[in-house]
PDB file of all heavy atoms in Angstrom:
ATOM      1  N   GLY A 291       8.283  12.325 -30.310  1.00  0.00           N
ATOM      2  CA  GLY A 291       6.912  12.069 -29.914  1.00  0.00           C
ATOM      3  C   GLY A 291       6.444  12.868 -28.724  1.00  0.00           C
ATOM      4  O   GLY A 291       6.637  14.089 -28.633  1.00  0.00           O
ATOM      5  N   ALA A 292       5.809  12.135 -27.791  1.00  0.00           N
ATOM      6  CA  ALA A 292       5.195  12.771 -26.620  1.00  0.00           C
ATOM      7  C   ALA A 292       6.223  13.497 -25.778  1.00  0.00           C
ATOM      8  O   ALA A 292       5.956  14.564 -25.232  1.00  0.00           O
ATOM      9  CB  ALA A 292       4.465  11.715 -25.783  1.00  0.00           C
ATOM     10  N   GLU A 293       7.433  12.911 -25.665  1.00  0.00           N
ATOM     11  CA  GLU A 293       8.472  13.553 -24.852  1.00  0.00           C
ATOM     12  C   GLU A 293       8.864  14.898 -25.436  1.00  0.00           C
ATOM     13  O   GLU A 293       8.989  15.892 -24.730  1.00  0.00           O
ATOM     14  CB  GLU A 293       9.695  12.639 -24.762  1.00  0.00           C
ATOM     15  CG  GLU A 293      10.796  13.204 -23.868  1.00  0.00           C
ATOM     16  CD  GLU A 293      12.020  12.303 -23.818  1.00  0.00           C
ATOM     17  OE1 GLU A 293      11.997  11.215 -24.420  1.00  0.00           O
ATOM     18  OE2 GLU A 293      12.998  12.718 -23.181  1.00  0.00           O
ATOM     19  N   GLU A 294       9.037  14.938 -26.756  1.00  0.00           N
ATOM     20  CA  GLU A 294       9.377  16.194 -27.412  1.00  0.00           C
ATOM     21  C   GLU A 294       8.261  17.215 -27.268  1.00  0.00           C
ATOM     22  O   GLU A 294       8.508  18.394 -27.018  1.00  0.00           O
ATOM     23  CB  GLU A 294       9.682  15.933 -28.887  1.00  0.00           C
ATOM     24  CG  GLU A 294      10.129  17.185 -29.646  1.00  0.00           C
ATOM     25  CD  GLU A 294      10.514  16.889 -31.083  1.00  0.00           C
ATOM     26  OE1 GLU A 294      10.405  15.720 -31.499  1.00  0.00           O
ATOM     27  OE2 GLU A 294      10.904  17.831 -31.772  1.00  0.00           O
ATOM     28  N   ASP A 295       7.009  16.749 -27.412  1.00  0.00           N
ATOM     29  CA  ASP A 295       5.872  17.634 -27.273  1.00  0.00           C
ATOM     30  C   ASP A 295       5.804  18.223 -25.867  1.00  0.00           C
ATOM     31  O   ASP A 295       5.528  19.414 -25.691  1.00  0.00           O
ATOM     32  CB  ASP A 295       4.580  16.861 -27.575  1.00  0.00           C
ATOM     33  CG  ASP A 295       3.363  17.767 -27.574  1.00  0.00           C
ATOM     34  OD1 ASP A 295       3.358  18.764 -28.296  1.00  0.00           O
ATOM     35  OD2 ASP A 295       2.412  17.460 -26.832  1.00  0.00           O
ATOM     36  N   ALA A 296       6.071  17.401 -24.845  1.00  0.00           N
ATOM     37  CA  ALA A 296       6.041  17.872 -23.461  1.00  0.00           C
ATOM     38  C   ALA A 296       7.117  18.916 -23.210  1.00  0.00           C
ATOM     39  O   ALA A 296       6.903  19.896 -22.497  1.00  0.00           O
ATOM     40  CB  ALA A 296       6.211  16.695 -22.508  1.00  0.00           C
ATOM     41  N   LEU A 297       8.291  18.719 -23.816  1.00  0.00           N
ATOM     42  CA  LEU A 297       9.391  19.667 -23.619  1.00  0.00           C
ATOM     43  C   LEU A 297       9.170  20.972 -24.370  1.00  0.00           C
ATOM     44  O   LEU A 297       9.842  21.969 -24.108  1.00  0.00           O
ATOM     45  CB  LEU A 297      10.713  19.035 -24.063  1.00  0.00           C
ATOM     46  CG  LEU A 297      11.208  17.864 -23.191  1.00  0.00           C
ATOM     47  CD1 LEU A 297      12.420  17.210 -23.828  1.00  0.00           C
ATOM     48  CD2 LEU A 297      11.540  18.338 -21.783  1.00  0.00           C
ATOM     49  N   SER A 298       8.240  20.979 -25.288  1.00  0.00           N
ATOM     50  CA  SER A 298       7.972  22.177 -26.084  1.00  0.00           C
ATOM     51  C   SER A 298       6.844  23.019 -25.511  1.00  0.00           C
ATOM     52  O   SER A 298       6.478  24.040 -26.089  1.00  0.00           O
ATOM     53  CB  SER A 298       7.617  21.762 -27.522  1.00  0.00           C
ATOM     54  OG  SER A 298       8.676  21.053 -28.114  1.00  0.00           O
ATOM     55  N   ARG A 299       6.271  22.569 -24.385  1.00  0.00           N
ATOM     56  CA  ARG A 299       5.171  23.307 -23.770  1.00  0.00           C
ATOM     57  C   ARG A 299       5.541  23.712 -22.355  1.00  0.00           C
ATOM     58  O   ARG A 299       6.314  23.034 -21.682  1.00  0.00           O
ATOM     59  CB  ARG A 299       3.912  22.436 -23.702  1.00  0.00           C
ATOM     60  CG  ARG A 299       3.328  22.056 -25.031  1.00  0.00           C
ATOM     61  CD  ARG A 299       2.053  21.280 -24.809  1.00  0.00           C
ATOM     62  NE  ARG A 299       1.385  20.930 -26.052  1.00  0.00           N
ATOM     63  CZ  ARG A 299       0.193  20.363 -26.107  1.00  0.00           C
ATOM     64  NH1 ARG A 299      -0.457  20.090 -24.991  1.00  0.00           N
ATOM     65  NH2 ARG A 299      -0.352  20.056 -27.265  1.00  0.00           N
ATOM     66  N   TYR A 300       4.954  24.802 -21.904  1.00  0.00           N
ATOM     67  CA  TYR A 300       5.131  25.191 -20.509  1.00  0.00           C
ATOM     68  C   TYR A 300       4.404  24.199 -19.619  1.00  0.00           C
ATOM     69  O   TYR A 300       3.256  23.823 -19.869  1.00  0.00           O
ATOM     70  CB  TYR A 300       4.563  26.587 -20.247  1.00  0.00           C
ATOM     71  CG  TYR A 300       4.527  26.947 -18.768  1.00  0.00           C
ATOM     72  CD1 TYR A 300       5.685  27.330 -18.103  1.00  0.00           C
ATOM     73  CD2 TYR A 300       3.344  26.844 -18.036  1.00  0.00           C
ATOM     74  CE1 TYR A 300       5.663  27.638 -16.756  1.00  0.00           C
ATOM     75  CE2 TYR A 300       3.315  27.148 -16.684  1.00  0.00           C
ATOM     76  CZ  TYR A 300       4.477  27.551 -16.054  1.00  0.00           C
ATOM     77  OH  TYR A 300       4.456  27.839 -14.718  1.00  0.00           O
ATOM     78  N   ARG A 301       5.074  23.754 -18.565  1.00  0.00           N
ATOM     79  CA  ARG A 301       4.443  22.923 -17.551  1.00  0.00           C
ATOM     80  C   ARG A 301       4.665  23.590 -16.205  1.00  0.00           C
ATOM     81  O   ARG A 301       5.772  24.039 -15.910  1.00  0.00           O
ATOM     82  CB  ARG A 301       5.053  21.515 -17.530  1.00  0.00           C
ATOM     83  CG  ARG A 301       4.748  20.677 -18.752  1.00  0.00           C
ATOM     84  CD  ARG A 301       5.266  19.258 -18.571  1.00  0.00           C
ATOM     85  NE  ARG A 301       6.714  19.238 -18.338  1.00  0.00           N
ATOM     86  CZ  ARG A 301       7.363  18.208 -17.811  1.00  0.00           C
ATOM     87  NH1 ARG A 301       6.695  17.135 -17.410  1.00  0.00           N
ATOM     88  NH2 ARG A 301       8.677  18.247 -17.659  1.00  0.00           N
ATOM     89  N   SER A 302       3.633  23.631 -15.411  1.00  0.00           N
ATOM     90  CA  SER A 302       3.774  24.262 -14.103  1.00  0.00           C
ATOM     91  C   SER A 302       4.805  23.506 -13.277  1.00  0.00           C
ATOM     92  O   SER A 302       4.692  22.286 -13.105  1.00  0.00           O
ATOM     93  CB  SER A 302       2.438  24.271 -13.361  1.00  0.00           C
ATOM     94  OG  SER A 302       2.648  24.642 -12.009  1.00  0.00           O
ATOM     95  N   PRO A 303       5.805  24.201 -12.751  1.00  0.00           N
ATOM     96  CA  PRO A 303       6.789  23.522 -11.896  1.00  0.00           C
ATOM     97  C   PRO A 303       6.171  22.976 -10.619  1.00  0.00           C
ATOM     98  O   PRO A 303       6.757  22.114  -9.981  1.00  0.00           O
ATOM     99  CB  PRO A 303       7.814  24.625 -11.588  1.00  0.00           C
ATOM    100  CG  PRO A 303       7.084  25.914 -11.820  1.00  0.00           C
ATOM    101  CD  PRO A 303       6.115  25.627 -12.927  1.00  0.00           C
ATOM    102  N   LEU A 304       4.988  23.474 -10.255  1.00  0.00           N
ATOM    103  CA  LEU A 304       4.321  22.929  -9.076  1.00  0.00           C
ATOM    104  C   LEU A 304       4.088  21.434  -9.232  1.00  0.00           C
ATOM    105  O   LEU A 304       4.166  20.669  -8.271  1.00  0.00           O
ATOM    106  CB  LEU A 304       2.992  23.636  -8.837  1.00  0.00           C
ATOM    107  CG  LEU A 304       3.063  25.107  -8.425  1.00  0.00           C
ATOM    108  CD1 LEU A 304       1.660  25.686  -8.311  1.00  0.00           C
ATOM    109  CD2 LEU A 304       3.818  25.283  -7.125  1.00  0.00           C
ATOM    110  N   VAL A 305       3.798  21.005 -10.466  1.00  0.00           N
ATOM    111  CA  VAL A 305       3.567  19.589 -10.728  1.00  0.00           C
ATOM    112  C   VAL A 305       4.808  18.912 -11.282  1.00  0.00           C
ATOM    113  O   VAL A 305       5.232  17.863 -10.813  1.00  0.00           O
ATOM    114  CB  VAL A 305       2.379  19.404 -11.705  1.00  0.00           C
ATOM    115  CG1 VAL A 305       2.217  17.935 -12.076  1.00  0.00           C
ATOM    116  CG2 VAL A 305       1.097  19.936 -11.080  1.00  0.00           C
ATOM    117  N   SER A 306       5.425  19.521 -12.288  1.00  0.00           N
ATOM    118  CA  SER A 306       6.528  18.859 -12.970  1.00  0.00           C
ATOM    119  C   SER A 306       7.795  18.778 -12.133  1.00  0.00           C
ATOM    120  O   SER A 306       8.636  17.902 -12.331  1.00  0.00           O
ATOM    121  CB  SER A 306       6.846  19.600 -14.278  1.00  0.00           C
ATOM    122  OG  SER A 306       7.340  20.912 -14.012  1.00  0.00           O
ATOM    123  N   ARG A 307       7.938  19.679 -11.150  1.00  0.00           N
ATOM    124  CA  ARG A 307       9.197  19.742 -10.419  1.00  0.00           C
ATOM    125  C   ARG A 307       9.057  19.407  -8.931  1.00  0.00           C
ATOM    126  O   ARG A 307       9.969  18.831  -8.345  1.00  0.00           O
ATOM    127  CB  ARG A 307       9.793  21.149 -10.574  1.00  0.00           C
ATOM    128  CG  ARG A 307      11.199  21.314 -10.010  1.00  0.00           C
ATOM    129  CD  ARG A 307      11.749  22.694 -10.324  1.00  0.00           C
ATOM    130  NE  ARG A 307      13.055  22.903  -9.731  1.00  0.00           N
ATOM    131  CZ  ARG A 307      14.214  22.631 -10.324  1.00  0.00           C
ATOM    132  NH1 ARG A 307      14.204  22.121 -11.546  1.00  0.00           N
ATOM    133  NH2 ARG A 307      15.368  22.854  -9.726  1.00  0.00           N
ATOM    134  N   TYR A 308       7.962  19.788  -8.313  1.00  0.00           N
ATOM    135  CA  TYR A 308       7.915  19.785  -6.857  1.00  0.00           C
ATOM    136  C   TYR A 308       6.878  18.877  -6.209  1.00  0.00           C
ATOM    137  O   TYR A 308       7.189  18.132  -5.302  1.00  0.00           O
ATOM    138  CB  TYR A 308       7.671  21.214  -6.345  1.00  0.00           C
ATOM    139  CG  TYR A 308       8.736  22.219  -6.704  1.00  0.00           C
ATOM    140  CD1 TYR A 308       8.402  23.435  -7.298  1.00  0.00           C
ATOM    141  CD2 TYR A 308      10.076  21.960  -6.462  1.00  0.00           C
ATOM    142  CE1 TYR A 308       9.373  24.374  -7.605  1.00  0.00           C
ATOM    143  CE2 TYR A 308      11.053  22.890  -6.785  1.00  0.00           C
ATOM    144  CZ  TYR A 308      10.695  24.096  -7.360  1.00  0.00           C
ATOM    145  OH  TYR A 308      11.660  25.010  -7.670  1.00  0.00           O
TER     146      TYR A 308
END
Side-chain angles (χ1 to χ4, degrees):
E293 183 182 357
E294 183 176 2
D295 185 54
L297 292 173
S298 300
R299 295 184 177 187
Y300 171 77
R301 291 186 301 162
S302 169
L304 293 176
V305 175
S306 66
R307 187 175 177 91
Y308 299 129

